[in-house]
Amino acid sequence: MHADKPIAESTVRRLSLYLRVLEHAMERGIRTISSEELADEGGTTSAQVRKDLSFFGSFGTRGRGYHVAELVSELQRILGLGREWRVYIIGAGKIGAALASYHGFVQRGFTVLGIYDNDPRLVGTIVDGVTVRDFATLADDARRESPEIVVLAVPGEVAQAVAERVVAAGIHAILNFAPVPLHVPAHITVRSVNMALELEGLAYAIVHRDSVTPAA
Amino acid sequence: MHADKPIAESTVRRLSLYLRVLEHAMERGIRTISSEELADEGGTTSAQVRKDLSFFGSFGTRGRGYHVAELVSELQRILGLGREWRVYIIGAGKIGAALASYHGFVQRGFTVLGIYDNDPRLVGTIVDGVTVRDFATLADDARRESPEIVVLAVPGEVAQAVAERVVAAGIHAILNFAPVPLHVPAHITVRSVNMALELEGLAYAIVHRDSVTPAA
DNA sequence: ACATGTGAACTGCTTCACAGCG
DNA sequence: CGCTGTGAAGCAGTTCACATGT
């Protein structure tokens, strides 16, 4: 039944979404929820919810549904959200600064230890309580603080070069906001958020109305 | 062969990526490119590139590859990037402001006509050359300016309510940065960017090292 | 009676492999 | 001879449907 076998990225994404819905339900005092209700809120189907959860165990009660608080803590455990994650943000521009103060990050246990930039005018300034550090000190700082994750918020032209410095500094996970695909060794995990690309997807959908396969 | 038949969202995403790679190649004076080279740069396979393009026509020359400039203009046409797209940004917080000045948007023909907020202290201020408008005027403004796309950069708690106002204002495409799935009528196109969710995906990948199906 | 958990069927994206053409 | 374009095969993710448990 449950397993540590390869789980689809889409499944993990939905688990995060379920967690959010469940936390919201918990705040409103709801104690029990069915796969049907969870699916409606999360924009998927009940069968999908049950299948997603079944990869990790059986958390429900037949005839009754899921106990909200219990499922919340199971999902937190599965997603690795019980602990603190140390994060560096690279790039103190508009996007980097916005991310530094993004509430959704802090809330989930992601602590921003430092923001890096190579612009001497920015180094030393304080962005949302975090001092901007000189990018040149990245490797040294990383040796000392061993962050698990880097958020890349730099221009596309330098993203690949910066990513290589990050990998060289011994960091194994990158959340990439630059609009280019990163080329990294296989043991490095990269997830990319490409905002321009999503906008272009909308443009395509508008132009080709009712010829795209839908998605949330 | 080519068709206006339903194209997978993943395909459209890759087309945007190919376009970016091709533009970069063009800047460097490269006139011809093979599906193999395009794939390497774009983080996919040559067969995938050829298949993606084949849905829309045959743009290459056997034995030679693709003419870069020609393929660029074909992709621009396919993606609907030949024209101007009128965009409203809703939410003048950190993320909304960062998006307003995001170069990647302007570059592709996305013009930000207005930024909306309901905080009276922000209304009237200027963010990157665009005046912050009162959210209450959205419907009136939309009737006059008929924007095609709205970028939602508001807190999750109000995202659904705001989305409904947007739909009521007659706008049919939403790029959602709020961390909740939006519930909208079927004829409205929504694409979501959920940054917290991507970070959580990284956390999961780290915890379960070598048990996730990889992706770029 | 009701809702979960899951093998089996299905759908659709990706990869293969090669014929076709320059 | 090289590289595209594309049916066919393979594979992964989703949906179905029902046996199982409360």
Side-chain angles (χ1 to χ4, degrees), chain B residues 11-19 53 56 75 78-79:
Chain B
T11 295
V12 176
R13 223 189 230 90
R14 282 190 300 268
L15 292 180
S16 293
L17 224 44
Y18 301 155
L19 176 56
L53 294 176
F56 299 92
L75 287 176
I78 292 166
L79 292 170

Side-chain angles (χ1 to χ4, degrees), chain A residues 16-98:
Chain A
S16 293
L17 224 43
Y18 302 155
L19 176 56
R20 204 166 267 280
V21 170
L22 289 165
E23 285 173 334
H24 184 63
M26 201 156 65
E27 280 165 23
R28 301 195 297 156
I30 296 165
R31 322 203 93 226
T32 277
I33 196 167
S34 68
S35 57
E36 186 74 37
E37 297 166 306
L38 195 39
D40 286 350
E41 288 288 319
T44 182
T45 67
S46 62
Q48 184 76 77
V49 169
R50 296 198 298 277
K51 181 62 95 181
D52 286 339
L53 295 174
S54 77
F55 294 128
F56 300 92
S58 33
F59 310 117
T61 312
R62 288 161 199 253
R64 204 136 299 167
Y66 302 89
H67 186 66
V68 175
E70 195 179 302
L71 192 49
V72 162
S73 69
E74 289 289 356
L75 286 177
Q76 286 176 337
R77 180 184 54 75
I78 292 166
L79 292 171
L81 300 177
R83 47 174 293 191
E84 184 204 42
W85 292 97
R86 293 180 295 275
V87 176
Y88 282 174
I89 293 175
I90 306 191
K94 293 268 172 55
I95 292 176

